[in-house]
Amino acid sequence: MRRPIQSALLSLSLFSLASSLGCGNDTTGPTPLDPAHLYFQLTLNHHAITMALTVPYNTIQLVATPRSATGALLTDTSTTTYTVDFSNDVCGCQSVTISPTGLLTADSVDVNAVVIARHTIGNVTKTDTAFVNVNDVNPVPVFTTLALQPLPGDSAYMSVSDVFSQLVPVALDQNKNQIDNFRVYIRNTNTLVFGYNNVPRQNRKRDIINLIPNNPGKTLLVAEATVYGISLTDTLLYTVGWPITGSIAINSVTPAGRLTPIGVFSPHDDTVAASATVFWLNQMQGQSVDVVFDNPATVQAADSALASQFYVIPSQGGGNIPAFAAMDSTQGQDTLGVRARRFPTAGTYIYHSVLYGTTGVLHVVPEFQVP
């Protein structure tokens, strides 16, 4: 029903009256907090600490700073509390102590001692953590170099298809000798590439770090260590390239208004590195499927390509893929419903199924041409 004109005019008059009673620039609701004043994080001046029993290397001052969402220092009179967690230490002793003002003192040899700083502003509490090793060394080496080093034969590049890559943090003294049993804290600046839980982000001794890729892209790994009173940092730009293998399933989908299913490519749009091998897996339960490329000339055969631990693709011709049976018992020895092609030339490959009229797109790019 159409609203009466009188009612509309009354509403307009009331709105105008309400507007005239207040300032024209007034807004309703609370004023949003400035990110520069919002308590966002607590940051310690040291996160990975290696100490000695010898004076003065047996003490270090910890300072916890409250910061805003923009990283700015917040002026606050609240007190920071410090506690030591020995739940994962090695010696099973009170290897370190910390004063109420944050002075850390080493008393005995240990690894895996953890110091937790806690600071409350208003009703918001934030924490930060430092990881501590205590060594019995004499003389105490002078920490001069911190480096994030790929293992020999490796580099700061890997494919997202790889299971993992490896790094070895190295600490050197004034004579270029390696310092053993030190702590290093590593931050990953792009969690889309490696993932927050995959890159070690707390403590490591002199050992191997496994980097597990999530997505193609670039990330800066930032390492920091305080060893015998000296703090150093190092960075490593790491690149994860596009996959060197791909897998596209053909799934059975029954569109609305139809009684029979069609084969749909999933993912419909995918990206792989140049020279990648791509597998098409027919999952249509007894129905065949074909793959026809708009430009099949540069689509090569994938001979004896291992698709998984369960099947191997036999020698095939390149180009278009003739109709092949599904991954079920009806296909016999028909390569278990899988076909493969190799793509050595970069470009956009549009393909379709003649049987079902469905389409797909494959982008082939240089492996390390990543966002």
Side-chain angles (χ1 to χ4, degrees):
M1 180 175 68
R2 180 173 297 179
R3 186 180 184 186
I5 295 177
Q6 292 86 346
S7 178
L9 290 175
L10 177 60
S11 298
L12 180 60
S13 299
L14 292 174
F15 176 80
S16 300
L17 176 62
S19 300
S20 65
L21 292 176
C23 176
N25 293 326
D26 284 349
T27 58
T28 58
T31 302
L33 288 175
D34 184 348
H37 299 95
L38 180 66
Y39 184 25
F40 181 73
Q41 63 180 342
L42 184 69
T43 58
L44 282 167
N45 56 333
H46 305 288
H47 290 102
I49 304 169
T50 303
M51 307 175 72
L53 296 176
T54 306
V55 176
Y57 309 103
N58 65 331
T59 62
I60 193 166
Q61 182 66 51
L62 292 183
V63 178
T65 304
R67 298 186 181 276
S68 71
T70 62
L73 186 150
L74 294 178
T75 303
D76 177 67
T77 58
S78 302
T79 300
T80 300
T81 59
Y82 299 91
T83 57
V84 182
D85 179 5
F86 295 106
S87 59
N88 293 315
D89 72 340
V90 170
C91 75
C93 60
Q94 301 293 311
S95 56
V96 296
T97 58
I98 192 163
S99 73
T101 59
L103 181 64
L104 183 66
T105 303
D107 298 318
S108 58
V109 174
D110 197 6
V111 296
N112 288 335
V114 176
V115 178
I116 302 171
R118 181 175 285 101
H119 191 97
T120 300
I121 299 178
N123 61 352
V124 178
T125 299
K126 298 292 183 180
T127 63
D128 199 10
T129 305
F131 302 86
V132 185
N133 274 15
V134 182
N135 300 324
D136 187 4
V137 291
N138 191 19
V140 176
V142 178
F143 181 37
T144 61
T145 304
L146 175 66
L148 279 175
Q149 299 289 342
L151 288 180
D154 205 345
S155 67
Y157 295 85
M158 68 182 300
S159 168
V160 73
S161 299
D162 296 334
V163 176
F164 61 86
S165 183
Q166 296 181 321
L167 294 177
V168 178
V170 174
L172 302 178
D173 66 11
Q174 70 276 23
N175 298 316
K176 305 300 181 184
N177 296 319
Q178 291 192 2
I179 298 175
D180 291 330
N181 203 33
F182 72 97
R183 286 295 186 192
V184 59
Y185 182 98
I186 301 176
R187 292 186 293 109
N188 168 31
T189 59
N190 186 348
T191 57
L192 292 177
V193 173
F194 283 127
Y196 186 76
N197 292 321
N198 289 332
V199 173
R201 60 197 182 281
Q202 43 188 32
N203 53 317
R204 288 283 168 180
K205 295 179 289 184
R206 179 186 157 203
D207 60 1
I208 296 172
I209 296 173
N210 292 326
L211 302 174
I212 304 173
N214 279 351
N215 296 287
K218 296 180 183 293
T219 185
L220 187 68
L221 301 179
V222 181
E224 60 176 279
T226 299
V227 181
Y228 306 131
I230 298 174
S231 299
L232 297 175
T233 61
D234 189 33
T235 60
L236 178 65
L237 181 63
Y238 213 99
T239 303
V240 175
W242 294 102
I244 55 176
T245 60
S247 178
I248 299 172
I250 301 98
N251 297 319
S252 179
V253 175
T254 303
R258 294 189 56 167
L259 299 178
T260 58
I262 61 174
V264 175
F265 298 104
S266 179
H268 170 266
D269 192 314
D270 203 9
T271 301
V272 296
S275 296
T277 298
V278 179
F279 303 95
W280 276 264
L281 292 75
N282 185 353
Q283 299 179 337
M284 292 194 63
Q285 298 294 319
Q287 294 181 269
S288 295
V289 70
D290 59 329
V291 181
V292 177
F293 297 93
D294 287 6
N295 183 14
T298 55
V299 180
Q300 294 186 353
D303 296 337
S304 300
L306 181 64
S308 79
Q309 60 180 330
F310 301 109
Y311 48 78
V312 174
I313 307 302
S315 297
Q316 300 172 334
N320 296 330
I321 301 175
F324 63 102
M327 301 176 68
D328 61 24
S329 60
T330 63
Q331 38 66 53
Q333 299 300 314
D334 188 21
T335 70
L336 297 182
V338 180
R339 293 291 186 272
R341 291 293 184 267
R342 182 172 172 270
F343 297 84
T345 305
T348 299
Y349 293 79
I350 300 173
Y351 59 90
H352 65 278
S353 168
V354 174
L355 293 173
Y356 306 107
T358 50
T359 62
V361 180
L362 184 68
H363 305 279
V364 179
V365 299
E367 182 174 359
F368 297 110
Q369 183 180 300
V370 296

